[in-house]
Amino acid sequence: MTRTMHRWPAARRFVRATAAVAVLGTAWCVAYLTIGAGTEAFAYVFVPVGGALAAASVHRMSRRDLGLDPVARRFWRAVLLAVGVITIGYAWLAADMLAHAAQARTRSMPTPAAACVAIGFVIAIWALARVPVVANAGVERWRVALDRTIAFLGCSAVLWYVGLAPMLSAREPWSRQAMLLVALCFLIAAGAATKVSYIVGGPVDRDAVRLIASAGGVPAGVVAVLAVQFGYVASIPAQAIVMPLAPLLVTLGVAAQGRADRGLRRDSARMGVWLPYLAIVAVDVPLIAVALGAPLRWPVRVALIATVAVTALVTVRQYIAYRENARLLRNTRVQEERLQYEVSHDGLTGLANRALFRDRLRDALETTGTASVLLVDLDDFKTVNDLLGHGAGDRLLISVARLLRAEAGDGGLPVRVGGDEFAVLLTGAGADPDELAQRLLAAFTRPISEHRLLVQVSIGIAVAAPGATVDSVLLNADVAMYTAKQQGNAGFVRYADGMREPVLAHMQLGGELRRGLENDEFRVVYQPIMRLDGNGPIGVEALIRWHHPARGVVGPAEFIPAAERTGLIVPLGRFVLRETCRQAAAWLAEFGPDALKEAGLNVSARQLHDPDFVSDVTSALADSGLPCERLVLEVTESAVQRGQQVSLALHELDRTGIRLALDDFGTGESSLSLLRAFPAAIIKLDKSFVDGIEIDDGRPAAADARQAVARAVIQLARALGLDTVAEGVESAEQVAVLRELGYTVGQGFHLAEPMTADGVSRLLARQRSASPRAPEESRQRALLSKTRNTGALAIEGPHHASASAVPDHPRG
């Protein structure tokens, strides 16, 4: 930058010097023509002097500014060579004229001098030709080439007709050398005019190129006019006044390049668009002249031939433009169609989106008034994303879309409503939505996607009633789908009147659940798990209750499904987990290790899918100080079968020492196989196998049948070394039968109802006071408290009890 700034004053000095030479030439010419000062040969001195200054200016740029771009450096070095050779030629001419001063007016330019000037002009043309222009490809490259050819021919035709042709037919014809040099100057001017219009932001400044080209074209044009109008006498002002302008224009070009290097380049508008049209107008000048009566000599014929050529090129150019415009129109239509498709279709699956779905449904309601909507929701899609990643989830959605297309056929419009929710719109008069729903459910019983996943769906069906609106139909389908999910996965429900109110109320329950968690409205109660021999509790099952500010105490059967649906089951379960661990640790410290062996909670499948669940459990144990072997986590058979993530979480929990219980045993489809794959420590006999077990109707075979499952479970548990708990014990008769079958632990309203933590504390206190070992136990509690304070407590004992915080099938 500093070097460029130093060069700028030097460039201005050269501009002033060449301008001074031009002024001196003008002053001498005026003096010669008026008072006869000096000899005519002296007119030839000013051009080589100015040329030497211009060459020095270009040399200073190419030598001092080594930071120039290679393209710019190559251009200016070529210009230096051209100016140097031209200056040598005109110096030769000046020396020859001074040596033959008496013949200066009629003497021709020496051939060596003319050759030097011609070579210089060729070098200048070569330098201009190598300046890079706007890079184009394909059709655009051909269009630019035609535009430049049209412009070049148009400019050349005008320069020929106005400048060079009159010199050839002048009364006092100039020498061939002069004609050649003028022609080369015109060629430089025409080529540069065409070239400079397509130079945009390159290393060589456009103004610099324009000035360098003007150094050849402007003097040549003026000299041609003077030669035609004044003959040989015009050589004196041409040499002294006009031609010294060329070195001045060269130094101005150097100065323009210097300004551009300093960041002062002007953002001139592109002339490439207008130049071909200006050339067409210019090439019409000979035609206008002929029309006005100019004689049709051979120079005019040459101009007319150029006009015809330009017209032909313009025709080709317009044809290419027509083809290009047609292609652009086609591309525009294709883009519009693609944009319209993207606006109305899902980007991932290619199915219609919600907007197109609503438009088609609205059209059907306004025209025929008949339409059916099947709303299809994927069950547990979040699990796929969590376990296999979003890429696998996307591929599953694509497979679902493909399946919907195949099953819906031509009579249905498959739609991706959003997320993992799809729909099918049926508008035909004979369409049967129930039959399509059954086909879809059957299709989803087979593995899909490249991961061969088994996916279950819940389908809600709504048939448009007379006067139905788009929103009412979609709301009915959503209510039906929600009802289908409540009834269990892999089913469909058709909307019926009266179905909306309870479902919407259930949906609103989700918002109230979130508010209840924030306002601490949930409480944990505990149902003791009792010894069947009447010797008191061995554990507790934690049950959640919602103390609603308006509804009062709400049981889990009402809000657990909403918690599962909204995902609030995770924070709700985390609350119960931490509260149970805290309270169990408090009982352990107060009543000793033998008072209450275990406490625990039932874990839902949604919690097991949570990646943070295992860390939540270990954190709760660590914060409360409860030994891990005193916590039991109950899971149902359906939850165990929810995939690899659940299995990994359960085995990791088992490795930490936490005991796992298989809840509601006997109600699933794969109980026996689960016992081999699932690290269970406890089997809880479902209440359905306890109900009626005590009935004695005098028929031994019937009694054996009622007791068969309970007997088989206890035998199986003993064979596998598992503990058992009988659930739902409602009477003393059931207790007697269960004890006879071998059960030692049970749970139910007959044994103990759910109670608060204070109620359990009172129960444990009564048990302690009734125990004959109470004094010894007091001593052990003191020892326990001391060891807990030192962090070195280790407790061992039998394991029987379990507890449930958020059951899949809530009890009590």
Side-chain angles (χ1 to χ4, degrees):
M1 186 62 162
T2 303
R3 183 174 295 164
T4 302
M5 293 179 65
H6 285 311
R7 191 185 70 248
W8 171 236
R12 285 189 295 183
R13 288 196 297 270
F14 281 114
V15 171
R16 291 170 182 170
T18 52
V21 172
V23 171
L24 288 175
T26 303
W28 175 85
C29 183
V30 171
Y32 175 79
L33 294 177
T34 55
I35 62 175
T39 178
E40 184 176 335
F42 193 71
Y44 293 90
V45 174
F46 299 102
V47 174
V49 172
L53 293 172
S57 175
V58 177
H59 175 67
R60 184 180 181 85
M61 168 176 284
S62 61
R63 181 177 62 84
R64 296 286 298 277
D65 192 6
L66 299 178
L68 274 176
D69 183 270
V71 174
R73 186 186 301 112
R74 181 181 62 197
F75 170 76
W76 286 107
R77 286 179 176 174
V79 171
L80 174 61
L81 180 60
V83 172
V85 174
I86 292 172
T87 300
I88 292 173
Y90 279 105
W92 193 316
L93 174 63
D96 182 78
M97 290 300 176
L98 290 173
H100 305 83
Q103 305 170 357
R105 178 170 298 186
T106 59
R107 185 173 176 81
S108 298
M109 187 176 190
T111 301
C116 287
V117 175
I119 292 173
F121 284 152
V122 172
I123 294 174
I125 293 173
W126 174 74
L128 289 171
R130 298 189 67 187
V131 176
V133 296
V134 179
N136 297 293
V139 175
E140 182 67 13
R141 180 175 59 188
W142 288 103
R143 186 191 67 78
V144 171
L146 282 173
D147 287 347
R148 293 173 64 186
T149 305
I150 292 170
F152 179 78
L153 286 177
C155 294
S156 300
V158 173
L159 293 175
W160 164 263
Y161 183 75
V162 176
L164 192 60
M167 290 181 68
L168 295 174
S169 58
R171 293 186 305 274
E172 297 178 354
W174 287 39
S175 64
R176 291 191 181 91
Q177 296 92 321
M179 291 289 186
L180 176 62
L181 297 181
V182 170
L184 289 175
C185 288
F186 283 160
L187 186 62
I188 292 176
T194 305
K195 183 86 171 184
V196 76
S197 298
Y198 295 92
I199 299 175
V200 179
V204 181
D205 183 61
R206 294 177 61 186
D207 291 339
V209 175
R210 188 177 288 116
L211 289 168
I212 295 297
S214 300
V218 172
V222 176
V223 168
V225 172
L226 291 175
V228 172
Q229 296 297 325
F230 302 103
Y232 293 141
V233 72
S235 61
I236 297 175
Q239 293 290 335
I241 299 176
V242 178
M243 294 184 65
L245 294 177
L248 175 61
L249 291 172
V250 171
T251 56
L252 288 173
V254 172
Q257 183 68 53
R259 287 194 303 271
D261 292 344
R262 298 199 323 276
L264 302 178
R265 177 178 297 179
R266 294 187 299 114
D267 294 330
S268 55
R270 286 188 61 187
M271 292 295 294
V273 176
W274 295 104
L275 188 60
Y277 300 99
L278 295 176
I280 294 172
V281 174
V283 84
D284 289 334
V285 172
L287 292 177
I288 296 172
V290 173
L292 294 178
L296 191 61
R297 297 189 180 94
W298 72 269
V300 177
R301 289 190 177 93
V302 172
L304 293 179
I305 292 173
T307 303
V308 173
V310 168
T311 303
L313 291 175
V314 169
T315 303
V316 175
R317 169 69 173 82
Q318 290 303 109
Y319 175 73
I320 292 177
Y322 165 76
R323 291 286 301 273
E324 183 66 11
N325 291 336
R327 184 186 65 82
L328 292 175
L329 288 175
R330 286 195 303 270
N331 291 343
T332 302
R333 284 194 294 268
V334 170
Q335 290 177 358
E336 290 177 352
E337 293 173 357
R338 185 174 68 251
L339 290 175
Q340 184 62 32
Y341 180 86
E342 291 176 352
V343 168
S344 59
H345 288 75
D346 177 59
L348 176 64
T349 63
L351 296 181
N353 61 13
R354 181 188 290 271
L356 181 59
F357 178 39
R358 292 178 64 90
D359 290 343
R360 294 288 180 85
L361 178 57
R362 182 182 297 108
D363 293 342
L365 294 177
E366 292 176 354
T367 54
T368 63
T370 59
S372 300
V373 172
L374 287 81
L375 205 57
V376 183
D377 184 78
L378 303 185
D379 298 326
D380 296 326
F381 176 72
K382 182 177 182 297
T383 304
V384 177
N385 278 337
D386 291 343
L387 298 182
L388 302 178
H390 290 279
D394 289 345
R395 288 188 287 273
L396 175 60
L397 294 176
I398 294 172
S399 299
V400 171
R402 191 180 301 117
L403 187 149
L404 289 178
R405 284 195 194 95
E407 296 298 332
D410 297 333
L413 175 67
V415 181
R416 185 186 180 195
V417 181
D420 60 347
E421 193 171 290
F422 295 82
V424 178
L425 173 63
L426 301 177
T427 56
D432 185 356
D434 291 3
E435 188 268 338
L436 176 58
Q438 291 173 351
R439 291 206 317 269
L440 289 174
L441 292 175
F444 278 106
T445 59
R446 297 183 293 271
I448 62 174
S449 181
E450 63 185 54
H451 290 86
R452 310 303 297 163
L453 300 175
L454 278 174
V455 180
Q456 292 182 333
V457 296
S458 298
I459 303 175
I461 301 174
V463 179
T469 63
V470 171
D471 291 332
S472 66
V473 173
L474 295 181
L475 178 59
N476 292 343
D478 199 45
V479 168
M481 186 270 292
Y482 186 82
T483 305
K485 292 183 76 70
Q486 285 185 309
Q487 293 180 358
N489 297 333
F492 73 92
V493 170
R494 184 168 182 152
Y495 178 80
D497 291 338
M499 188 182 291
R500 182 182 299 179
E501 288 73 15
V503 170
L504 291 180
H506 199 72
M507 290 180 175
Q508 294 171 355
L509 194 62
E512 298 182 16
L513 276 172
R514 188 177 299 278
R515 177 191 53 77
L517 278 170
E518 294 174 352
N519 296 340
D520 195 25
E521 297 175 1
F522 291 92
R523 300 290 182 270
V524 179
V525 297
Y526 304 89
Q527 184 174 26
I529 299 174
M530 309 293 288
R531 295 183 179 88
L532 295 182
D533 58 6
N535 287 331
I538 66 165
V540 292
E541 176 181 1
L543 304 172
I544 187 72
R545 295 291 185 267
W546 184 9
H547 289 251
H548 195 281
R551 304 183 187 184
V553 179
V554 181
E558 295 186 43
F559 62 82
I560 289 300
E564 288 275 6
R565 176 179 56 83
T566 59
L568 292 175
I569 192 68
V570 175
L572 186 61
R574 187 181 299 117
F575 160 74
V576 177
L577 168 67
R578 301 189 69 85
E579 181 64 20
T580 301
C581 291
R582 183 197 63 78
Q583 186 59 61
W587 287 325
L588 180 62
E590 182 179 358
F591 297 103
D594 295 331
L596 202 63
K597 298 295 189 296
E598 293 170 345
L601 51 137
N602 192 342
V603 179
S604 71
R606 189 72 174 266
Q607 289 176 269
L608 291 171
H609 281 302
D610 182 19
D612 298 327
F613 177 69
V614 175
S615 61
D616 287 343
V617 174
T618 56
S619 176
L621 289 172
D623 293 343
S624 64
L626 182 69
C628 58
E629 65 270 12
R630 289 186 174 269
L631 179 65
V632 172
L633 299 180
E634 298 183 20
V635 293
T636 62
E637 293 174 281
S638 60
V640 174
Q641 299 172 353
R642 289 298 182 91
Q644 185 180 9
Q645 172 67 21
V646 172
S647 178
L648 291 175
L650 292 173
H651 280 84
E652 187 173 354
L653 291 168
D654 178 66
R655 285 192 295 271
T656 64
I658 297 171
R659 305 187 75 202
L660 302 176
L662 197 57
D663 195 19
D664 301 334
F665 185 78
T667 59
E669 298 179 358
S670 305
S671 299
L672 298 181
S673 62
L674 279 179
L675 292 177
R676 299 183 60 185
F678 172 57
I682 301 170
I683 294 177
K684 300 193 74 173
L685 180 67
D686 187 69
K687 181 181 184 299
S688 61
F689 302 116
V690 177
D691 292 340
I693 198 174
E694 78 286 1
I695 297 176
D696 184 5
D697 55 3
R699 294 184 298 171
D704 289 342
R706 286 189 289 271
Q707 301 172 8
V709 174
R711 181 181 293 107
V713 169
I714 190 64
Q715 292 174 354
L716 180 63
R718 287 174 177 172
L720 297 176
L722 304 177
D723 294 332
T724 56
V725 177
E727 297 183 295
V729 180
E730 304 290 345
S731 65
E733 291 77 11
Q734 290 178 346
V735 171
V737 175
L738 289 170
R739 292 189 63 187
E740 182 180 343
L741 292 175
Y743 288 88
T744 60
V745 177
Q747 175 184 356
F749 272 61
H750 170 72
L751 301 173
E753 295 185 6
M755 60 188 69
T756 63
D758 291 339
V760 175
S761 296
R762 289 192 293 270
L763 177 63
L764 295 176
R766 288 196 301 270
Q767 176 180 326
R768 182 179 61 186
S769 63
S771 173
R773 298 184 298 169
E776 176 64 19
E777 290 177 354
S778 298
R779 187 186 66 79
Q780 291 181 357
R781 276 199 309 278
L783 178 61
L784 171 64
S785 178
K786 180 178 179 181
T787 54
R788 283 178 60 83
N789 291 334
T790 60
L793 176 63
I795 301 175
E796 296 183 357
H799 304 286
H800 293 286
S802 65
S804 176
V806 187
D808 280 350
H809 304 285
R811 294 179 299 277

PDB file of all heavy atoms in Angstrom, residues 692-708 711 737 740-741:
ATOM      1  N   GLY A 692     -61.469 -65.114  43.750  1.00  0.00           N
ATOM      2  CA  GLY A 692     -62.213 -66.379  43.671  1.00  0.00           C
ATOM      3  C   GLY A 692     -61.421 -67.591  44.053  1.00  0.00           C
ATOM      4  O   GLY A 692     -61.933 -68.720  43.973  1.00  0.00           O
ATOM      5  N   ILE A 693     -60.178 -67.415  44.477  1.00  0.00           N
ATOM      6  CA  ILE A 693     -59.355 -68.579  44.805  1.00  0.00           C
ATOM      7  C   ILE A 693     -59.879 -69.304  46.047  1.00  0.00           C
ATOM      8  O   ILE A 693     -59.612 -70.488  46.244  1.00  0.00           O
ATOM      9  CB  ILE A 693     -57.885 -68.130  44.997  1.00  0.00           C
ATOM     10  CG1 ILE A 693     -56.948 -69.326  44.901  1.00  0.00           C
ATOM     11  CG2 ILE A 693     -57.702 -67.401  46.321  1.00  0.00           C
ATOM     12  CD1 ILE A 693     -55.497 -68.942  44.926  1.00  0.00           C
ATOM     13  N   GLU A 694     -60.692 -68.592  46.877  1.00  0.00           N
ATOM     14  CA  GLU A 694     -61.160 -69.166  48.127  1.00  0.00           C
ATOM     15  C   GLU A 694     -62.521 -69.849  47.990  1.00  0.00           C
ATOM     16  O   GLU A 694     -63.002 -70.484  48.949  1.00  0.00           O
ATOM     17  CB  GLU A 694     -61.264 -68.052  49.177  1.00  0.00           C
ATOM     18  CG  GLU A 694     -62.475 -67.152  49.070  1.00  0.00           C
ATOM     19  CD  GLU A 694     -62.383 -66.159  47.911  1.00  0.00           C
ATOM     20  OE1 GLU A 694     -61.363 -66.193  47.175  1.00  0.00           O
ATOM     21  OE2 GLU A 694     -63.312 -65.338  47.728  1.00  0.00           O
ATOM     22  N   ILE A 695     -63.139 -69.757  46.843  1.00  0.00           N
ATOM     23  CA  ILE A 695     -64.493 -70.304  46.668  1.00  0.00           C
ATOM     24  C   ILE A 695     -64.463 -71.824  46.764  1.00  0.00           C
ATOM     25  O   ILE A 695     -63.661 -72.487  46.091  1.00  0.00           O
ATOM     26  CB  ILE A 695     -65.076 -69.854  45.321  1.00  0.00           C
ATOM     27  CG1 ILE A 695     -65.219 -68.322  45.267  1.00  0.00           C
ATOM     28  CG2 ILE A 695     -66.423 -70.545  45.069  1.00  0.00           C
ATOM     29  CD1 ILE A 695     -65.686 -67.798  43.940  1.00  0.00           C
ATOM     30  N   ASP A 696     -65.358 -72.347  47.592  1.00  0.00           N
ATOM     31  CA  ASP A 696     -65.480 -73.804  47.760  1.00  0.00           C
ATOM     32  C   ASP A 696     -66.933 -74.173  47.476  1.00  0.00           C
ATOM     33  O   ASP A 696     -67.813 -74.024  48.329  1.00  0.00           O
ATOM     34  CB  ASP A 696     -65.077 -74.210  49.178  1.00  0.00           C
ATOM     35  CG  ASP A 696     -65.090 -75.741  49.354  1.00  0.00           C
ATOM     36  OD1 ASP A 696     -65.319 -76.434  48.332  1.00  0.00           O
ATOM     37  OD2 ASP A 696     -64.858 -76.206  50.472  1.00  0.00           O
ATOM     38  N   ASP A 697     -67.193 -74.600  46.262  1.00  0.00           N
ATOM     39  CA  ASP A 697     -68.561 -74.944  45.860  1.00  0.00           C
ATOM     40  C   ASP A 697     -68.806 -76.443  45.899  1.00  0.00           C
ATOM     41  O   ASP A 697     -69.777 -76.945  45.332  1.00  0.00           O
ATOM     42  CB  ASP A 697     -68.844 -74.413  44.455  1.00  0.00           C
ATOM     43  CG  ASP A 697     -67.829 -74.896  43.437  1.00  0.00           C
ATOM     44  OD1 ASP A 697     -66.946 -75.683  43.811  1.00  0.00           O
ATOM     45  OD2 ASP A 697     -67.909 -74.485  42.258  1.00  0.00           O
ATOM     46  N   GLY A 698     -67.934 -77.166  46.565  1.00  0.00           N
ATOM     47  CA  GLY A 698     -68.115 -78.614  46.681  1.00  0.00           C
ATOM     48  C   GLY A 698     -67.625 -79.382  45.490  1.00  0.00           C
ATOM     49  O   GLY A 698     -67.784 -80.615  45.450  1.00  0.00           O
ATOM     50  N   ARG A 699     -67.023 -78.718  44.562  1.00  0.00           N
ATOM     51  CA  ARG A 699     -66.505 -79.411  43.365  1.00  0.00           C
ATOM     52  C   ARG A 699     -64.994 -79.273  43.369  1.00  0.00           C
ATOM     53  O   ARG A 699     -64.452 -78.219  43.036  1.00  0.00           O
ATOM     54  CB  ARG A 699     -67.090 -78.807  42.091  1.00  0.00           C
ATOM     55  CG  ARG A 699     -68.619 -79.032  41.959  1.00  0.00           C
ATOM     56  CD  ARG A 699     -69.140 -78.493  40.639  1.00  0.00           C
ATOM     57  NE  ARG A 699     -68.934 -77.032  40.554  1.00  0.00           N
ATOM     58  CZ  ARG A 699     -69.134 -76.330  39.440  1.00  0.00           C
ATOM     59  NH1 ARG A 699     -69.544 -76.948  38.330  1.00  0.00           N
ATOM     60  NH2 ARG A 699     -68.927 -75.028  39.444  1.00  0.00           N
ATOM     61  N   PRO A 700     -64.305 -80.305  43.778  1.00  0.00           N
ATOM     62  CA  PRO A 700     -62.838 -80.234  43.866  1.00  0.00           C
ATOM     63  C   PRO A 700     -62.161 -79.873  42.551  1.00  0.00           C
ATOM     64  O   PRO A 700     -61.159 -79.156  42.535  1.00  0.00           O
ATOM     65  CB  PRO A 700     -62.442 -81.633  44.327  1.00  0.00           C
ATOM     66  CG  PRO A 700     -63.671 -82.164  45.000  1.00  0.00           C
ATOM     67  CD  PRO A 700     -64.833 -81.594  44.249  1.00  0.00           C
ATOM     68  N   ALA A 701     -62.709 -80.361  41.479  1.00  0.00           N
ATOM     69  CA  ALA A 701     -62.076 -80.073  40.181  1.00  0.00           C
ATOM     70  C   ALA A 701     -62.141 -78.586  39.866  1.00  0.00           C
ATOM     71  O   ALA A 701     -61.180 -77.984  39.371  1.00  0.00           O
ATOM     72  CB  ALA A 701     -62.752 -80.880  39.075  1.00  0.00           C
ATOM     73  N   ALA A 702     -63.291 -77.966  40.164  1.00  0.00           N
ATOM     74  CA  ALA A 702     -63.427 -76.531  39.901  1.00  0.00           C
ATOM     75  C   ALA A 702     -62.507 -75.732  40.801  1.00  0.00           C
ATOM     76  O   ALA A 702     -61.890 -74.745  40.378  1.00  0.00           O
ATOM     77  CB  ALA A 702     -64.881 -76.101  40.094  1.00  0.00           C
ATOM     78  N   ALA A 703     -62.390 -76.131  42.081  1.00  0.00           N
ATOM     79  CA  ALA A 703     -61.494 -75.433  43.005  1.00  0.00           C
ATOM     80  C   ALA A 703     -60.049 -75.555  42.549  1.00  0.00           C
ATOM     81  O   ALA A 703     -59.269 -74.585  42.596  1.00  0.00           O
ATOM     82  CB  ALA A 703     -61.668 -75.975  44.417  1.00  0.00           C
ATOM     83  N   ASP A 704     -59.650 -76.743  42.100  1.00  0.00           N
ATOM     84  CA  ASP A 704     -58.279 -76.918  41.594  1.00  0.00           C
ATOM     85  C   ASP A 704     -58.014 -76.035  40.379  1.00  0.00           C
ATOM     86  O   ASP A 704     -56.920 -75.491  40.215  1.00  0.00           O
ATOM     87  CB  ASP A 704     -58.037 -78.383  41.235  1.00  0.00           C
ATOM     88  CG  ASP A 704     -57.958 -79.265  42.478  1.00  0.00           C
ATOM     89  OD1 ASP A 704     -57.755 -78.701  43.569  1.00  0.00           O
ATOM     90  OD2 ASP A 704     -58.108 -80.494  42.332  1.00  0.00           O
ATOM     91  N   ALA A 705     -59.019 -75.888  39.529  1.00  0.00           N
ATOM     92  CA  ALA A 705     -58.840 -75.050  38.337  1.00  0.00           C
ATOM     93  C   ALA A 705     -58.643 -73.596  38.720  1.00  0.00           C
ATOM     94  O   ALA A 705     -57.833 -72.886  38.123  1.00  0.00           O
ATOM     95  CB  ALA A 705     -60.051 -75.198  37.412  1.00  0.00           C
ATOM     96  N   ARG A 706     -59.420 -73.121  39.737  1.00  0.00           N
ATOM     97  CA  ARG A 706     -59.275 -71.733  40.161  1.00  0.00           C
ATOM     98  C   ARG A 706     -57.920 -71.485  40.805  1.00  0.00           C
ATOM     99  O   ARG A 706     -57.416 -70.365  40.799  1.00  0.00           O
ATOM    100  CB  ARG A 706     -60.399 -71.363  41.121  1.00  0.00           C
ATOM    101  CG  ARG A 706     -61.752 -71.164  40.436  1.00  0.00           C
ATOM    102  CD  ARG A 706     -62.754 -70.590  41.401  1.00  0.00           C
ATOM    103  NE  ARG A 706     -63.150 -71.565  42.400  1.00  0.00           N
ATOM    104  CZ  ARG A 706     -64.168 -72.424  42.271  1.00  0.00           C
ATOM    105  NH1 ARG A 706     -64.885 -72.424  41.141  1.00  0.00           N
ATOM    106  NH2 ARG A 706     -64.471 -73.279  43.215  1.00  0.00           N
ATOM    107  N   GLN A 707     -57.335 -72.497  41.381  1.00  0.00           N
ATOM    108  CA  GLN A 707     -56.066 -72.352  42.067  1.00  0.00           C
ATOM    109  C   GLN A 707     -54.866 -72.750  41.197  1.00  0.00           C
ATOM    110  O   GLN A 707     -53.718 -72.640  41.644  1.00  0.00           O
ATOM    111  CB  GLN A 707     -56.056 -73.202  43.335  1.00  0.00           C
ATOM    112  CG  GLN A 707     -57.144 -72.859  44.331  1.00  0.00           C
ATOM    113  CD  GLN A 707     -57.226 -73.840  45.476  1.00  0.00           C
ATOM    114  OE1 GLN A 707     -56.370 -74.724  45.615  1.00  0.00           O
ATOM    115  NE2 GLN A 707     -58.270 -73.718  46.305  1.00  0.00           N
ATOM    116  N   ALA A 708     -55.129 -73.193  39.980  1.00  0.00           N
ATOM    117  CA  ALA A 708     -54.064 -73.789  39.155  1.00  0.00           C
ATOM    118  C   ALA A 708     -52.954 -72.778  38.849  1.00  0.00           C
ATOM    119  O   ALA A 708     -51.760 -73.079  38.977  1.00  0.00           O
ATOM    120  CB  ALA A 708     -54.659 -74.331  37.854  1.00  0.00           C
ATOM    121  N   ARG A 711     -50.938 -71.907  41.956  1.00  0.00           N
ATOM    122  CA  ARG A 711     -50.085 -73.034  42.333  1.00  0.00           C
ATOM    123  C   ARG A 711     -48.895 -73.137  41.379  1.00  0.00           C
ATOM    124  O   ARG A 711     -47.756 -73.367  41.792  1.00  0.00           O
ATOM    125  CB  ARG A 711     -50.912 -74.319  42.317  1.00  0.00           C
ATOM    126  CG  ARG A 711     -50.104 -75.561  42.731  1.00  0.00           C
ATOM    127  CD  ARG A 711     -50.954 -76.821  42.688  1.00  0.00           C
ATOM    128  NE  ARG A 711     -52.002 -76.806  43.715  1.00  0.00           N
ATOM    129  CZ  ARG A 711     -53.295 -76.613  43.450  1.00  0.00           C
ATOM    130  NH1 ARG A 711     -53.694 -76.417  42.187  1.00  0.00           N
ATOM    131  NH2 ARG A 711     -54.181 -76.607  44.427  1.00  0.00           N
ATOM    132  N   VAL A 737     -55.998 -69.863  51.776  1.00  0.00           N
ATOM    133  CA  VAL A 737     -55.701 -70.663  50.584  1.00  0.00           C
ATOM    134  C   VAL A 737     -54.299 -70.364  50.077  1.00  0.00           C
ATOM    135  O   VAL A 737     -53.547 -71.273  49.692  1.00  0.00           O
ATOM    136  CB  VAL A 737     -56.754 -70.395  49.495  1.00  0.00           C
ATOM    137  CG1 VAL A 737     -56.385 -71.119  48.204  1.00  0.00           C
ATOM    138  CG2 VAL A 737     -58.135 -70.844  49.954  1.00  0.00           C
ATOM    139  N   GLU A 740     -51.792 -72.027  52.153  1.00  0.00           N
ATOM    140  CA  GLU A 740     -51.795 -73.466  51.884  1.00  0.00           C
ATOM    141  C   GLU A 740     -51.022 -73.773  50.601  1.00  0.00           C
ATOM    142  O   GLU A 740     -50.346 -74.799  50.508  1.00  0.00           O
ATOM    143  CB  GLU A 740     -53.240 -73.946  51.768  1.00  0.00           C
ATOM    144  CG  GLU A 740     -53.374 -75.454  51.526  1.00  0.00           C
ATOM    145  CD  GLU A 740     -54.821 -75.884  51.411  1.00  0.00           C
ATOM    146  OE1 GLU A 740     -55.699 -75.111  51.824  1.00  0.00           O
ATOM    147  OE2 GLU A 740     -55.056 -76.986  50.906  1.00  0.00           O
ATOM    148  N   LEU A 741     -51.122 -72.856  49.620  1.00  0.00           N
ATOM    149  CA  LEU A 741     -50.383 -73.070  48.360  1.00  0.00           C
ATOM    150  C   LEU A 741     -48.889 -72.791  48.513  1.00  0.00           C
ATOM    151  O   LEU A 741     -48.101 -73.186  47.660  1.00  0.00           O
ATOM    152  CB  LEU A 741     -50.961 -72.168  47.263  1.00  0.00           C
ATOM    153  CG  LEU A 741     -52.390 -72.500  46.794  1.00  0.00           C
ATOM    154  CD1 LEU A 741     -52.879 -71.457  45.790  1.00  0.00           C
ATOM    155  CD2 LEU A 741     -52.433 -73.885  46.170  1.00  0.00           C
TER     156      LEU A 741
END
